[in-house]
């Protein structure tokens, strides 16, 4: 039953929907394609989708991907809170929750939290564990995790993404993926909103500043998985110590804690990036000015990335961009002043369209793409048909 996975892939991506279209695209006989469609229907991965409107002759039967055939479990883990979701196989969120969780409590505490939340969601939806196609979890960067104060014995420096991935996979009997949150955000935003972008950047601006990069549909991670750590770019005139062990990093000037500390010194009630955003949204002038200056400083670094990568699209996500128009205005001001004009003008710079769900959708879509790879579907069809 070779190439059954290719049939599913073509239908899932909207490239074909009838037996004739599939046979033409794949260079196969209609009877061969029909056998594979029947096998995929037995797995509940394909369902009839009505008939075409004929210009002449008999109407052709159409088929569509059954996004309700299973679910994915998705989580976006922050430094102080975690968002969890259950999605269908198109990445659409069916259940969602947000809980406060200190990442300094360590990986064991995180596993327990995820297990509890995922089981709660499955129960609420009336789904069995057997419906889980896979699990996707986005974590903060290694530097941020390592710098979090340990809240439990042995939690400091003991993070092992492979161990967390293996444990989740064993528990739910499904594929598990653990990746940096910005990588999953980039996938979610790219696939959902900017699929035609050849060079796509997703910038996270909140407690820390980082970005994910998608080039020709693939996430680029770098030689040691550290690509996108723009928050650790050194700035002229800055000298505050950073969590990475160096001084004068962008995070120490434009990250949420830095802005909150600046406003706190002015007598304002600000302790986090969220507080800064709330103050700016409520019309506080010093907070609005601080957010705009942060956008300008971040824009200086983004301008260098634009000169290097010449991106089609840069989307921005996080508490700072949620604080009105000041942040994006400052960011664009620096970009257009500093970057090569032709490259800057070619780049669309805008808010992430998915909002808070961007990391969750990215985690789900990454799982779906991996689990439904044509080769894996071929093996599944063969196993069921044997």
């Amino acid at each position: 039953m070779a190439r059954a996975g290719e049939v599913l892939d073509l239908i899932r991506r909207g490239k074909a929907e009838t037996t004739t279209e599939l046979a033409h695209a794949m260079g196969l006989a209609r009877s061969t394609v029909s056998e594979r469609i029947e096998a995929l229907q037995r797995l509940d991965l394909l369902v009839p989708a009505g008939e075409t409107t004929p210009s002449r002759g008999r109407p052709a039967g159409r088929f569509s991907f059954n996004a309700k055939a299973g679910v994915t479990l998705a989580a976006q883990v922050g430094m102080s809170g975690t968002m969890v979701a259950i999605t269908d196989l198109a990445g659409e969120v069916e259940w969602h929750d947000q809980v406060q969780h200190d990442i300094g409590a360590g990986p064991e505490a995180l596993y327990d939290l995820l297990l509890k939340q995922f089981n709660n969601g499955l129960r609420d939806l009336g789904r069995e564990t057997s419906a889980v196609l896979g699990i996707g979890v986005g974590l903060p960067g290694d530097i941020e995790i390592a710098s979090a104060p340990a809240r439990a014995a042995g939690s400091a420096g003991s993070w092992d993404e492979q161990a967390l991935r293996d444990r989740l996979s064993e528990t739910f009997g499904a594929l598990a993926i653990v990746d940096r949150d910005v990588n999953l955000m980039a996938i979610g935003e790219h696939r959902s909103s900017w699929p035609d972008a050849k060079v796509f950047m997703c910038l996270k601006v909140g407690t820390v500043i980082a970005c994910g990069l998608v080039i020709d549909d693939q996430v680029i991670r770098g030689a040691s998985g550290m690509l996108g750590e723009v928050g650790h770019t050194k700035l002229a005139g800055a000298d505050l110590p950073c969590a990475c062990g160096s001084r004068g990093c962008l995070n120490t000037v434009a990250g949420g804690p830095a802005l909150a500390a600046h406003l706190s010194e002015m007598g304002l009630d600000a302790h986090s990036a969220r507080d800064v955003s709330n103050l700016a949204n409520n019309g506080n002038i010093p907070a609005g000015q601080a957010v705009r200056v942060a956008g300008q400083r971040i824009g200086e670094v983004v301008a260098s990335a634009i000169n290097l990568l010449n991106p089609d699209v840069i989307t921005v996500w996080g508490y700072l961009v949620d604080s009105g128009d000041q942040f994006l205005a400052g960011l664009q001001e620096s970009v257009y002043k500093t970057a090569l004009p032709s490259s800057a003008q070619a780049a669309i710079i805008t808010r992430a369209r998915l909002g808070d769900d961007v990391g969750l959708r990215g985690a789900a879509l990454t799982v779906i793409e991996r689990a439904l790879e044509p080769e894996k579907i071929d093996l599944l069809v063969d196993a069921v048909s044997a």
Side-chain angles (χ1 to χ4, degrees), residues 228-316:
E229 291 285 2
V230 294
H232 296 286
T233 303
K234 307 301 179 287
L235 296 183
D239 193 47
L240 290 173
C242 180
C244 69
S246 187
R247 305 181 73 89
C249 293
L250 179 62
N251 281 334
T252 69
V253 173
L259 300 186
H262 171 67
L263 295 176
S264 182
E265 290 174 358
M266 300 174 65
L268 297 172
D269 186 17
H271 308 281
S272 65
R274 181 182 300 174
D275 294 337
V276 174
S277 177
N278 289 337
L279 285 168
N281 273 323
N282 289 329
N284 184 276
I285 294 176
Q289 291 173 336
V291 168
R292 187 182 185 99
V293 171
Q296 292 170 342
R297 300 311 303 267
I298 294 171
E300 296 170 15
V301 175
V302 171
S304 296
I306 289 175
N307 287 345
L308 177 67
L309 299 169
N310 190 204
D312 310 61
V313 180
I314 301 173
T315 62
V316 192

Side-chain angles (χ1 to χ4, degrees), residues 8 42 45 56 81 97 120 126 135 154 171-172 219 256 258 260 269-270 284 328 349 355 364 379:
L8 180 65
R42 288 195 294 271
L45 291 172
R56 61 183 181 178
D97 196 14
N120 285 345
I135 309 102
T171 298
F172 290 98
V219 171
D269 186 17
N284 184 276
L328 276 179
I349 304 174
L379 292 173

Side-chain angles (χ1 to χ4, degrees), residues 96-318:
H96 177 276
D97 196 14
Q98 184 168 3
V99 292
Q100 294 302 115
H101 176 75
D102 186 351
I103 201 167
E108 185 69 25
L110 177 61
Y111 169 81
D112 291 341
L113 174 76
L114 295 178
L115 181 62
K116 176 183 176 182
Q117 291 298 112
F118 287 149
N119 282 331
N120 285 345
L122 290 170
R123 184 191 64 240
D124 290 348
L125 292 174
R127 288 281 201 167
E128 300 293 332
T129 302
S130 58
V132 176
L133 180 75
I135 309 102
V137 179
L139 293 176
D142 293 344
I143 295 173
E144 280 63 51
I145 292 179
S147 66
R151 308 298 185 195
S155 65
S158 60
W159 284 87
D160 183 347
E161 292 183 8
Q162 181 67 48
L164 178 62
R165 180 165 51 242
D166 290 347
R167 195 168 180 189
L168 288 169
S169 179
E170 182 179 357
T171 298
F172 290 98
L175 168 73
I177 293 170
V178 179
D179 202 350
R180 289 182 63 208
D181 54 2
V182 288
N183 292 334
L184 299 181
M185 290 176 187
I187 282 289
E189 190 72 7
H190 178 269
R191 299 295 194 264
S192 299
S193 303
W194 306 95
D196 295 328
K198 297 296 185 182
V199 180
F200 176 84
M201 291 175 59
C202 183
L203 185 67
K204 180 179 77 169
V205 291
T207 302
V208 297
I209 301 142
C211 78
L213 179 65
V214 177
I215 297 180
D216 289 336
D217 293 336
Q218 300 297 316
V219 171
I220 308 300
R221 294 179 172 83
S224 59
M226 298 294 286
L227 185 143
E229 291 285 2
V230 294
H232 296 286
T233 303
K234 307 301 179 287
L235 296 183
D239 193 47
L240 290 173
C242 180
C244 69
S246 187
R247 305 181 73 89
C249 293
L250 179 62
N251 281 334
T252 69
V253 173
L259 300 186
H262 171 67
L263 295 176
S264 182
E265 290 174 358
M266 300 174 65
L268 297 172
D269 186 17
H271 308 281
S272 65
R274 181 182 300 174
D275 294 337
V276 174
S277 177
N278 289 337
L279 285 168
N281 273 323
N282 289 329
N284 184 276
I285 294 176
Q289 291 173 336
V291 168
R292 187 182 185 99
V293 171
Q296 292 170 342
R297 300 311 303 267
I298 294 171
E300 296 170 15
V301 175
V302 171
S304 296
I306 289 175
N307 287 345
L308 177 67
L309 299 169
N310 190 204
D312 310 61
V313 180
I314 301 173
T315 62
V316 192
W317 178 93

